[in-house]
Amino acid sequence: LPLTSLLLKNGADPNAVDRQTGSTALHFAVSKGLVSIIGALLQAGAWSSVKNSAGETPLSIAVSQKKKDVVILLSEKQGQ
C-alpha cells in the first residue's frame, strides 16, 4: 500500500487502462482481493463501473470470485 499511495499522491492515474486486457488497476486489485489498495484507488477517483475487454466490471469480478468484503466495498462506493 505505501507504494500505491506514493504513486497516487504523485499523479498516477487510477483509471489508466492496460492496452491488452482493458483492465484498470482496480480490476487487478479486485481480482487479487487487495482491499487496502482497492480503498486507496477508490479514494483517488478510480472508476468502479468501467468494463474491461471481457466486459467485466470490478464488481462483477468480485461477485464471480465470491470476494464478499470487496463486493461490499464496491457496492458502498457505487451507492454514493
Side-chain angles (χ1 to χ4, degrees):
L1 181 61
L3 181 58
T4 302
S5 296
L6 178 68
L7 290 169
L8 291 170
K9 286 179 184 177
N10 285 289
D13 181 1
N15 296 304
V17 176
D18 180 275
R19 290 183 182 150
Q20 290 183 322
T21 65
S23 294
T24 64
L26 188 57
H27 286 94
F28 291 113
V30 166
S31 70
K32 299 295 183 188
L34 303 172
V35 176
S36 59
I37 292 177
I38 294 166
L41 289 166
L42 291 172
Q43 190 171 10
W47 301 325
S48 59
S49 59
V50 66
K51 292 182 180 180
N52 63 16
S53 299
E56 301 166 315
T57 65
L59 181 58
S60 70
I61 292 170
V63 169
S64 71
Q65 293 183 358
K66 298 180 171 78
K67 296 183 186 298
K68 188 176 182 178
D69 52 345
V70 176
V71 170
I72 292 168
L73 182 61
L74 292 171
S75 296
E76 288 172 351
K77 174 63 178 174
Q78 288 184 343
Q80 293 179 352

